[in-house]
């Protein structure tokens, strides 16, 4: 039997199960009424891990939730095609296929062989967790002209090997590898 969590115990980035569905807590707001006898309410901004829908819901502090049967398995990205994106589990060497709806913006950061964490709910893959930063090669960027820094504009657009476009500092040239934050989609440094 899985342990029960009270609503007041739920914190950001925690996972919990509600009505046989796994959820990920994105934000928590606790409101304690000043009047006597008022109940403490917990407002949770949460993401349904099966449908990817995000919504707010308010619970009483004593409401209980089960811990979901979630597991993270390391997997390497193989390729994407019409069926979805294919990953190889690093422990069992099974191939998992995730549909486009489960991938979200992750395709912008995936390169062949990248190790990611696949989320499994009751043994079935339901999503993936990217590393906080990925290394991507710059395929196209304008050369930085001398004196461009006077206006305070010290970045320029660069197209990366996966097709996304980010802002990079002027000293970055074509062919260089850069670190990109997967949370913000911004330049995080040279690789």
């Amino acid at each position: 039997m899985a342990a029960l969590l009270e609503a007041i115990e739920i914190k950001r980035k925690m996972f919990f199960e509600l009505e046989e569905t796994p959820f990920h807590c994105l934000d928590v707001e606790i409101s304690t009424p000043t009047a006597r006898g008022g109940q403490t309410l917990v407002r949770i901004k949460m993401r349904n891990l099966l449908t990817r829908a995000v919504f707010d819901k308010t619970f009483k502090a004593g409401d209980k939730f089960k811990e979901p049967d979630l597991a993270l398995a390391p997997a390497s990205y193989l390729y994407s095609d019409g069926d979805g994106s294919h990953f190889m589990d690093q422990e069992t060497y099974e191939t998992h296929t995730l549909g486009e709806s489960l991938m979200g913006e992750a395709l912008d950061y995936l390169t062949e062989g990248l190790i990611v964490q696949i989320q499994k709910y009751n043994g079935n893959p339901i999503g993936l967790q990217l590393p906080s930063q990925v290394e991507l090669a710059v395929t196209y960027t304008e050369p930085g002209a001398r004196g461009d820094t006077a206006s305070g504009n010290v970045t320029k657009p660069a197209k990366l090997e996966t097709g996304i476009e980010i802002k990079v500092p002027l000293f970055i040239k074509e062919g260089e590898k850069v670190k990109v934050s997967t949370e913000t989609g911004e330049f995080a440094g040279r690789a």
Side-chain angles (χ1 to χ4, degrees):
M1 174 81 187
L4 292 177
L5 298 168
E6 286 193 0
I8 196 95
E9 297 170 342
I10 292 184
K11 306 284 182 249
R12 282 185 73 223
K13 298 189 178 182
M14 279 181 75
F15 296 95
F16 61 95
E17 193 173 297
L18 174 67
E19 297 165 0
E20 304 298 317
T21 307
F23 287 93
H24 180 222
C25 175
L26 302 174
D27 199 19
V28 178
E29 198 176 297
I30 298 172
S31 59
T32 311
T34 54
R36 269 182 260 173
Q39 286 192 326
T40 300
L41 298 175
V42 181
R43 184 180 175 144
I44 300 176
K45 183 175 184 179
M46 53 196 192
R47 169 175 278 132
N48 181 325
L49 292 177
L50 301 179
T51 64
R52 304 316 246 184
V54 175
F55 54 92
D56 286 2
K57 194 161 182 174
T58 304
F59 301 96
K60 294 176 186 162
D63 288 354
K64 297 196 183 306
F65 305 105
K66 287 197 321 193
E67 283 191 41
D69 179 21
L70 278 178
L72 288 175
S76 65
Y77 175 67
L78 299 173
Y79 62 94
S80 292
D81 60 15
D83 298 332
S85 299
H86 303 274
F87 298 86
M88 183 173 59
D89 192 310
Q90 294 293 294
E91 294 166 347
T92 63
Y93 300 106
E94 292 176 20
T95 302
H96 299 295
T97 303
L98 294 177
E100 209 174 302
S101 62
L102 296 176
M103 294 298 294
E105 295 176 1
L107 282 173
D108 292 342
Y109 307 106
L110 290 175
T111 54
E112 195 174 313
L114 179 71
I115 304 291
V116 297
Q117 299 288 328
I118 291 208
Q119 290 177 326
K120 293 180 179 181
Y121 177 62
N122 294 336
N124 300 320
I126 59 165
L128 77 149
Q129 246 181 336
L130 292 167
S132 61
Q133 294 180 344
V134 292
E135 290 183 12
L136 298 171
V138 175
T139 56
Y140 176 77
T141 186
E142 297 284 330
R146 201 176 173 130
D148 273 357
T149 59
S151 64
N153 182 15
V154 292
T155 61
K156 60 183 180 178
K159 193 169 187 100
L160 305 180
E161 62 185 303
T162 58
I164 62 168
E165 199 169 286
I166 65 166
K167 295 259 186 214
V168 297
L170 294 175
F171 57 81
I172 299 293
K173 298 177 183 67
E174 267 183 47
E176 280 191 65
K177 284 200 173 256
V178 293
K179 290 181 186 170
V180 180
S181 166
T182 57
E183 292 173 12
T184 62
E186 295 174 352
F187 174 81
R190 275 185 166 155

